[in-house]
Amino acid sequence: MKVYITRQIPESGINKLKEKGYEVDINSADKVLSREELLNALKQKPYDAVLCLLTDKIDKEVFGAVPTAKIFANYAVGFDNINLADAKEKNVMVVNTPGVLTETVAEHTFALMLAIAHRVSEADRFTRAGNYKGWAPMLLLGANLAGKTLGIVGLGRIGSTVAGYAVRGFGAKIIYYDVNRNEDFEKEFQAEYRGNVDDVLKEADFISIHVPLLESTRHLINKERLAMMKPTAYLVNTSRGPVIDEQALVEALKNKIIKGAALDVFENEPALALGLAELENVILTPHIASATEETRSKMSDIAAENIIVALEGRVPPNLVK
Ligand code: GLV
Ligand code: GLV
């Protein structure tokens, strides 16, 4: 069996594939392959499986370049980079890496949420610049998460884990919107369902986004919805950039329509919306919410395991289509 990997990932999964006796080829350049490079790489050999990244756009043309491949394993939980209708048409299985990164992304969400409310990056810049002249009662005042209302938009694995940490650790009140209501979750965390996103935005002190990127969630947070939020509210996004109209967010932050935002994902990665990086009331991390040593290795393992199961003729555990 032959497997192509579109960029170096942690070794653990690669070793699993090699232990099976599979021939593994990996893009040797430490960069995202251009469209043409990807197509050429896949045409080199009759690969049976491809392990790809969220930075690879996978569609009909890509499947066509490697017609022998039975499975594309996406090294991510999100799979909006893959055209599932094309995969279905070409009879290719698509798998992702759910579960193993849930707690890590939830932790990063808290890192961002607490950092923006406690002004950590701003305070760090201030201190390094030599501006700290002595303790002061009014220096860099922030806001508590404790006792506040956290609005969760998208109550999947990650959204519900974030909610659990907020309730157990900070005594926050949870309100949430999801296309599916979850009454067991509501009971466990005294959480309240809201029938639409607007009602969550109007009421919450912190809003954390955990929806997948779909046509229905693109620009879910737009200018009108930002205007519904409290002027004291913070917005956190560890899902996918295009869920927020980033230019509208820049305007909202500039005009103090909301208090602050913390983003791990961007609308046109790796580019940032004009003016975003100049704002003090925003925290930016470069799509690293799942980036711990442990989790990135587990993602490598689970992608490899799915490939092995599929190539042995069984249904892989994390099939997404
Ligand atoms: C990262 O963004 C992922 O979807 O795993
Ligand atoms: C993704 O893992 C989710 O369900 O939130």
Side-chain angles (χ1 to χ4, degrees):
M1 294 289 181
K2 296 177 175 49
V3 181
Y4 187 76
I5 303 181
T6 65
R7 191 167 182 175
Q8 187 65 45
I9 58 168
E11 282 185 331
S12 55
I14 299 170
N15 292 339
K16 279 183 197 283
L17 296 169
K18 287 185 177 161
E19 280 158 23
K20 276 276 158 190
Y22 297 177
E23 184 180 330
V24 181
D25 292 338
I26 307 171
N27 161 24
S28 56
D30 187 24
K31 67 178 203 59
V32 178
L33 294 172
S34 69
R35 179 85 182 169
E36 205 187 336
E37 288 166 339
L38 176 62
L39 294 171
N40 288 335
L42 295 178
K43 284 175 190 161
Q44 291 178 107
K45 290 181 191 171
Y47 292 109
D48 300 283
V50 177
L51 199 161
C52 60
L53 311 184
L54 61 87
T55 42
D56 302 316
K57 278 267 159 285
I58 308 295
D59 57 16
K60 200 175 282 189
E61 195 184 6
V62 175
F63 293 127
V66 57
T68 44
K70 290 173 203 64
I71 177 170
F72 272 62
N74 206 40
Y75 185 74
V77 68
F79 45 84
D80 48 278
N81 58 305
I82 302 183
N83 186 318
L84 293 185
D86 289 352
K88 189 168 185 163
E89 194 186 307
K90 297 282 184 182
N91 209 17
V92 179
M93 291 180 266
V94 173
V95 296
N96 66 340
T97 62
V100 293
L101 48 63
T102 302
E103 286 82 7
T104 308
V105 176
E107 280 187 15
H108 194 79
T109 304
F110 272 90
L112 291 176
M113 196 150 47
L114 295 172
I116 188 65
H118 288 261
R119 303 173 67 172
V120 173
S121 297
E122 199 185 339
D124 178 80
R125 287 191 290 273
F126 174 91
T127 309
R128 284 169 195 271
N131 293 329
Y132 182 41
K133 306 294 184 204
W135 188 87
M138 307 298 274
L139 181 61
L140 285 163
L141 302 187
N144 285 340
L145 171 57
K148 295 283 171 61
T149 298
L150 169 61
I152 301 282
V153 178
L155 195 80
R157 288 167 292 248
I158 298 169
S160 54
T161 301
V162 167
Y165 291 174
V167 170
R168 294 202 187 98
F170 299 88
K173 174 185 166 182
I174 304 296
I175 58 175
Y176 77 101
Y177 170 73
D178 191 280
V179 284
N180 299 308
R181 190 168 170 182
N182 182 338
E183 294 185 20
D184 290 337
F185 168 81
E186 288 168 34
K187 274 196 204 97
E188 186 173 355
F189 296 108
Q190 288 88 50
E192 291 176 17
Y193 182 64
R194 296 288 179 269
N196 57 70
V197 180
D198 299 2
D199 289 344
V200 173
L201 298 179
K202 285 175 194 162
E203 216 180 305
D205 301 303
F206 290 81
I207 289 138
S208 193
I209 310 290
H210 301 286
V211 292
L213 177 61
L214 304 166
E215 274 324 304
S216 58
T217 60
R218 189 176 293 275
H219 283 197
L220 180 70
I221 308 297
N222 56 17
K223 182 171 189 248
E224 292 69 37
R225 290 210 168 102
L226 287 162
M228 293 175 189
M229 290 173 61
K230 294 180 179 177
T232 50
Y234 297 97
L235 178 64
V236 180
N237 189 13
T238 52
S239 64
R240 283 291 180 268
V243 174
I244 298 178
D245 178 341
E246 199 169 298
Q247 206 58 58
L249 176 62
V250 170
E251 294 313 311
L253 290 165
K254 256 190 206 157
N255 299 322
K256 312 273 191 263
I257 304 295
I258 66 171
K259 187 82 176 174
L263 310 174
D264 184 54
V265 286
F266 305 93
E267 191 165 351
N268 298 299
E269 288 181 26
L272 304 179
L274 204 65
L276 185 64
E278 282 78 62
L279 297 170
E280 281 287 357
N281 55 344
V282 70
I283 291 193
L284 311 173
T285 57
H287 207 149
I288 54 166
S290 70
T292 61
E293 301 272 356
E294 303 93 312
T295 293
R296 287 286 164 88
S297 280
K298 286 184 196 157
M299 289 165 65
S300 176
D301 289 340
I302 191 177
E305 286 158 11
N306 274 277
I307 288 174
I308 291 167
V309 170
L311 295 187
E312 288 180 345
R314 287 170 286 130
V315 179
N318 302 111
L319 195 62
V320 295
K321 70 180 188 89

